[in-house]
Amino acid sequence: MKALVLCGGAGTRLRPITHTSAKQLVPVANKPVLFYGLEAIAEAGVTETGIVVGDTEKEIRAAVGDGSAFGLNVTYIPQDAPRGLAHAVLIARDFLGNDDFVMYLGDNFIVGGITGLVDGFRAERPDARILLTRVPEPTAFGIAELDDAGRVMRLEEKPQMPKSDLALVGVYLFSPAVHEAVRSIGPSRRGELEITDAIQWLIDQGRDVRATTISGYWKDTGNVTDMLEVNRSVLETLESRIDGSVDAYSELIGRVRIEDGAKVFRSRVVGPAVIGAGTVVSDSFIGPFSSIAEDCRIESSEIEYSIVLHRATVIGIGRIEESLIGHNVEVTPAPSIPSVHRLILGDHSKVQISS
């Protein structure tokens, strides 16, 4: 079995962060979200991995390399533009050959990995297996409709009138039968080759398409709200570790990780929270569910339930919450401006102005 990891999307929902950075490389608990997926693939015993890349190819290559750090052998597959998940399968045909494969969206996060799913697929070998989970807003996802026996009847991408609340999770398992399916469909109303249409084609042809409904944790980290929620979930499993230095005037409460070279002075850190290597925190409060990346400077500020990317500086800010702060950002107080009143008053006016 092989793996196909999709990293070609533009990440429009995470702008402005993704104007200068690949969405798959935004860190969760100080590790790029893509790395969690690559580790899950390796843990499932899959080594040959193709990564579909677009405009951020250079960044993805620099971060992942040849894949050996993850126990993988990586092949990069360029995609000229985001043209749909089925298009990614289409252009990966030479790499995939006639092997079964797992397709993993590089910005998705699944707790517990995919080992059981891959083992089950290898044993049963249906033509396709999809993962489903219930969502509160089905119009934002590919949606599946099942019959009374739990068999997949219909799939629709981002339907205006959803038939169910079962959304497709960003992990798919396919036999080589999917290659005929992606060649047989046309662009959707969005102008893309939808993987839901390809799977529907398999269903219409009487092929064996199965579904597994998962109750575990899954998130598409395509927007800031979900990214912060995934960060919270990962930090919930954090183990305390102090590799950096903490002075006698600081207080660490709960599960806190201070990475190598980080320094904490006269500050209070309440976990779960992680302070990245080389970061300096002074006269500050770092609250629960915060990830401060490498080489940051946090001074006389309060940060909680936030992600701060590397080399960012936050100085003299009273309170920051539910925020995603990008690389090399500087957040400082605005200079005080003297109050000025410009008045045009008619005769006999009475005006009260606070000093």
Side-chain angles (χ1 to χ4, degrees):
M1 179 175 279
K2 293 178 179 175
L4 187 66
V5 180
L6 275 52
C7 294
T12 55
R13 292 178 294 159
L14 271 176
R15 287 176 179 169
I17 297 294
T18 49
H19 279 309
T20 54
S21 178
K23 65 176 179 177
Q24 297 85 5
L25 297 181
V26 175
V28 170
N30 284 5
K31 182 165 67 176
V33 67
L34 171 62
F35 289 9
Y36 292 95
L38 296 178
E39 290 168 356
I41 289 167
E43 289 169 2
V46 179
T47 56
E48 292 296 321
T49 301
I51 300 182
V52 177
V53 289
D55 292 341
T56 59
E57 176 180 356
K58 185 177 179 180
E59 290 177 73
I60 300 293
R61 281 182 178 268
V64 177
D66 63 2
S68 57
F70 305 92
L72 303 174
N73 181 23
V74 167
T75 299
Y76 292 95
I77 304 166
Q79 187 180 35
D80 62 346
R83 302 185 186 279
L85 306 189
H87 181 262
V89 176
L90 196 66
I91 64 173
R93 182 69 175 91
D94 289 344
F95 165 77
L96 295 169
N98 291 317
D99 293 312
D100 295 343
F101 67 97
V102 53
M103 184 168 76
Y104 198 114
L105 274 59
D107 61 349
N108 275 225
F109 184 88
I110 298 177
V111 169
I114 60 172
T115 300
L117 296 165
V118 169
D119 290 344
F121 189 85
R122 283 171 164 153
E124 300 171 6
R125 295 209 71 243
D127 292 300
R129 181 174 289 280
I130 59 176
L131 273 63
L132 305 174
T133 192
R134 298 192 182 279
V135 294
E137 298 179 6
T139 55
F141 301 92
I143 295 298
E145 184 181 356
L146 309 182
D147 64 16
D148 293 339
R151 292 185 295 264
V152 185
M153 297 170 56
R154 279 177 293 277
L155 301 173
E156 188 176 2
E157 187 65 31
K158 295 180 174 61
Q160 295 179 354
M161 301 289 289
K163 298 287 197 309
S164 82
D165 61 353
L166 290 170
L168 278 77
V169 173
V171 177
Y172 308 79
L173 297 112
F174 292 116
S175 77
V178 74
H179 296 300
E180 183 180 1
V182 298
R183 291 195 305 268
S184 301
I185 62 173
S188 67
R189 64 177 183 272
R190 301 194 305 158
E192 297 185 359
L193 292 178
E194 311 285 4
I195 198 65
T196 45
D197 291 342
I199 299 170
Q200 185 65 53
W201 186 91
L202 290 173
I203 295 170
D204 294 341
Q205 298 298 312
R207 307 304 292 261
D208 186 4
V209 176
R210 304 182 190 181
T212 298
T213 301
I214 63 172
S215 56
Y217 189 84
W218 163 79
K219 278 289 183 182
D220 170 2
T221 60
N223 61 55
V224 173
T225 299
D226 286 340
M227 183 67 71
L228 292 172
E229 175 62 19
V230 170
N231 188 64
R232 181 203 62 77
S233 177
V234 174
L235 288 177
E236 287 278 19
T237 66
L238 185 76
E239 294 183 2
S240 296
R241 195 178 74 235
I242 311 301
D243 293 331
S245 63
V246 180
D247 74 358
Y249 303 98
S250 296
E251 183 180 20
L252 306 184
I253 300 174
R255 287 172 284 117
V256 175
R257 188 172 75 211
I258 309 295
E259 296 183 343
D260 187 43
K263 298 178 181 179
V264 179
F265 301 105
R266 301 176 303 277
S267 297
R268 190 166 185 251
V269 183
V270 179
V274 56
I275 310 297
T279 285
V280 177
V281 177
S282 61
D283 303 296
S284 295
F285 170 77
I286 306 298
F289 309 118
S290 296
S291 295
I292 314 298
E294 303 82 10
D295 300 317
C296 294
R297 180 184 171 196
I298 312 297
E299 182 179 317
S300 302
S301 300
E302 298 183 4
I303 299 175
E304 186 169 336
Y305 196 75
S306 296
I307 298 172
V308 179
L309 305 190
H310 72 283
R311 293 195 297 274
T313 299
V314 180
I315 299 176
I317 302 301
R319 188 78 170 179
I320 293 175
E321 291 184 354
E322 299 182 35
S323 299
L324 175 57
I325 297 174
H327 309 279
N328 300 295
V329 165
E330 294 184 10
V331 183
T332 57
S336 59
I337 300 174
S339 297
V340 175
H341 305 290
R342 183 171 181 262
L343 305 174
I344 300 174
L345 302 174
D347 297 343
H348 310 296
S349 296
K350 290 183 179 181
V351 179
Q352 292 182 325
I353 298 176
S354 61
S355 58

